[in-house]
Amino acid sequence: SPGVLLIMETGTIFAFLFSILSLIYRILKYVVYYGFWVAVFLLIGLCLYLVIFKIIVHFTKKNLKKPEVLTIGFFHPFCHDAGGGERVLWTILKSIEEFNMRLSDKLQMETLEGIYADFAASGIQTIQPLIYTVSQAHEDEILLRVKNRFDIDIPKKRIGFVRLEKAHCLESASFLSLLWDIWGSLRLGIECLSAYPPDIFFDTTGHPFIYGLAKLIGCTVASYTHYPFMTSDMINAVQEQKVRYNNSPRFARSSLLRTLKAKIYYGFIMTLYKQVGRFVDVVCTNSTWTYDHLAQTWSNPNIQMAILYPPCNVREFLKIPTSMGRNKTIISVGQFRPEKDHELQILAFHKLITDFPEHSTAKLVLLGSCRSEEDRQRVEYLKNLCTSRRIEN
């Protein structure tokens, strides 16, 4: 009868659903079971690797260490570039050179006081700065570029260069870029610390996930932070559906993708970033905004933090006569990196000259360098954007 057939069909459907659920349960059971043991073995392998790494570094440091020399290793892979970060690096190195000269003079005259007395008491007679770099340019070429760009003259014998081979580790990825940045910096950090372990590890490029490795081998860890690795603004931009360099239109439109990115992906990285503060001893920031953000993120009372504004050489600017007339020109100086948001600057300028005809003769000049092929492609995109808006001239 129809009723019997309906009951049989319903029973068949329930049996099918039950078998599907049973299959899913068994799959999840095996995934959890084997996933647990895979995680355990990976954790054990990581611990063994770190132990071996520490042993290797210990003997390397023992062979290289000179008690009268304090080595400071500056992690600045692209030291040959000519951006604001490089000016900070070379200004610090120039200050170290001048300090070494004063220390040498005072040790000879035996007029020791303050920090010089502390150095003499510890037996340190000089500071040896090292730069961990992926640049293959000759030392003379790098130092000449520094002299021409920044008017900073440092003798070659005062600087040591540790050449790194894993330059590809710092290449940005189009997917999960922050995780790739973390992974790449860790690989490069292992290479540089294994090649020459310093007394003080000084990061001047914003790769904080190396700090734990440096602390593991007994380094004092210092940082000059230009911009935090992760900010609350990045998370808010995703949650507020804003299209930015770190939030494509596809993610801005999808509530599911937006939630996964803000809550899980960014949340996980922010959790890791907060733990990094446990391993840093001294932090200098380039602004009050960066200082406040790091003070909130790295709530570690043992960190010594200070604001150290970036150096700015104004000697050449002072030579320009103040009687010269001004043109309606806006100059924007900055490397062509995504976080600079040059696209927004161009769109804002286009709106200015469109909505306010009295400024139609104004010009916008974007000045900056390119670190990689990706940056050069970004410049071409900006040129095409200007052409499409008819403001290329």
Side-chain angles (χ1 to χ4, degrees):
S1 64
V4 174
L5 291 175
L6 179 61
I7 293 174
M8 292 177 63
E9 290 177 358
T10 304
T12 303
I13 293 173
F14 276 111
F16 175 75
L17 291 175
F18 179 78
S19 63
I20 293 295
L21 292 174
S22 179
L23 177 62
I24 294 174
Y25 171 76
R26 287 197 296 271
I27 292 174
L28 290 176
K29 181 179 178 181
Y30 284 117
V31 168
V32 172
Y33 178 77
Y34 289 108
F36 170 78
W37 286 110
V38 167
V40 169
F41 283 120
L42 287 176
L43 184 59
I44 293 174
L46 176 62
C47 292
L48 289 175
Y49 179 83
L50 291 177
V51 170
I52 295 172
F53 168 70
K54 185 172 183 178
I55 293 173
I56 293 173
V57 170
H58 171 75
F59 285 103
T60 303
K61 191 172 184 178
K62 186 176 181 181
N63 294 330
L64 297 173
K65 177 63 178 174
K66 297 179 181 179
E68 71 278 8
V69 178
L70 177 70
T71 57
I72 304 179
F74 290 87
F75 186 78
H76 205 110
F78 300 101
C79 68
H80 57 287
D81 285 347
E86 286 68 53
R87 177 178 282 279
V88 170
L89 168 69
W90 292 106
T91 302
I92 294 174
L93 293 173
K94 183 64 177 178
S95 299
I96 291 176
E97 183 208 358
E98 294 172 352
F99 177 84
N100 278 333
M101 295 174 63
R102 292 194 301 270
L103 177 61
S104 177
D105 293 340
K106 289 183 178 294
L107 287 174
Q108 293 177 7
M109 294 185 298
E110 297 184 354
T111 55
L112 300 174
E113 58 184 9
I115 190 172
Y116 303 103
D118 295 337
F119 268 71
S122 62
I124 297 174
Q125 299 179 11
T126 187
I127 299 175
Q128 175 59 56
L130 308 171
I131 303 177
Y132 301 109
T133 178
V134 299
S135 173
Q136 298 305 314
H138 193 271
E139 288 91 335
D140 293 336
E141 181 183 345
I142 295 175
L143 294 176
L144 179 61
R145 183 180 176 88
V146 172
K147 171 63 177 176
N148 293 336
R149 291 297 182 94
F150 304 133
D151 193 26
I152 297 176
D153 190 10
I154 301 178
K156 182 172 65 173
K157 62 181 181 180
R158 303 288 187 182
I159 305 292
F161 291 88
V162 180
R163 307 289 181 166
L164 306 178
E165 298 179 356
K166 295 183 174 63
H168 61 278
C169 292
L170 295 180
E171 295 177 358
S172 58
S174 57
F175 183 67
L176 299 178
S177 58
L178 291 179
L179 285 178
W180 281 113
D181 287 345
I182 294 172
W183 172 244
S185 65
L186 286 173
R187 293 179 62 189
L188 209 59
I190 290 173
E191 182 184 2
C192 71
L193 293 173
S194 301
Y196 203 118
D199 297 308
I200 299 175
F201 179 82
F202 203 140
D203 170 41
T204 51
T205 56
H207 289 89
F209 292 90
I210 307 178
Y211 300 168
L213 292 173
K215 183 62 71 172
L216 177 67
I217 63 172
C219 296
T220 298
V221 180
S223 166
Y224 187 96
T225 303
H226 299 269
Y227 193 84
F229 185 84
M230 167 68 72
T231 67
S232 55
D233 292 342
M234 296 169 61
I235 300 176
N236 294 335
V238 176
Q239 293 176 333
E240 296 170 4
Q241 306 180 43
K242 294 181 179 178
V243 177
R244 293 181 57 188
Y245 70 91
N246 67 315
N247 193 39
S248 65
R250 182 164 62 95
F251 279 84
R253 289 192 299 264
S254 172
S255 59
L256 176 60
L257 293 177
R258 192 166 61 248
T259 301
L260 291 174
K261 185 173 185 177
K263 299 295 185 181
I264 299 178
Y265 178 54
Y266 278 178
F268 173 69
I269 293 177
M270 179 60 86
T271 301
L272 294 178
Y273 188 41
K274 288 181 178 180
Q275 302 308 312
V276 169
R278 298 172 179 268
F279 307 115
V280 63
D281 300 292
V282 180
V283 177
C284 293
T285 67
N286 66 341
S287 65
T288 55
W289 182 89
T290 305
Y291 178 94
D292 293 338
H293 185 88
L294 289 182
Q296 182 180 4
T297 304
W298 294 344
S299 53
N300 182 355
N302 297 321
I303 298 179
Q304 299 181 48
M305 295 187 64
I307 301 172
L308 185 61
Y309 295 109
C312 182
N313 186 349
V314 298
R315 289 194 299 269
E316 296 301 320
F317 291 105
L318 292 175
K319 297 177 182 179
I320 301 175
T322 56
S323 58
M324 293 180 60
R326 290 180 178 269
N327 298 322
K328 288 187 176 181
T329 302
I330 302 171
I331 299 179
S332 173
V333 182
Q335 289 182 325
F336 289 97
R337 306 203 306 248
E339 58 267 28
K340 301 294 184 179
D341 211 345
H342 290 91
E343 180 179 359
L344 180 61
Q345 297 179 41
I346 293 173
L347 295 177
F349 177 73
H350 177 261
K351 184 174 179 60
L352 169 69
I353 62 177
T354 301
D355 294 352
F356 300 92
E358 64 271 24
H359 297 300
S360 59
T361 59
K363 289 186 177 182
L364 171 65
V365 180
L366 304 179
L367 297 177
S369 59
C370 296
R371 305 165 302 171
S372 61
E373 181 60 30
E374 182 184 358
D375 287 353
R376 285 184 281 274
Q377 292 176 2
R378 186 172 297 109
V379 171
E380 292 301 318
Y381 169 78
L382 295 173
K383 290 181 179 179
N384 293 333
L385 177 62
C386 292
T387 302
S388 65
R389 301 282 174 164
R390 297 182 179 179
I391 56 173
E392 65 272 18
N393 295 322

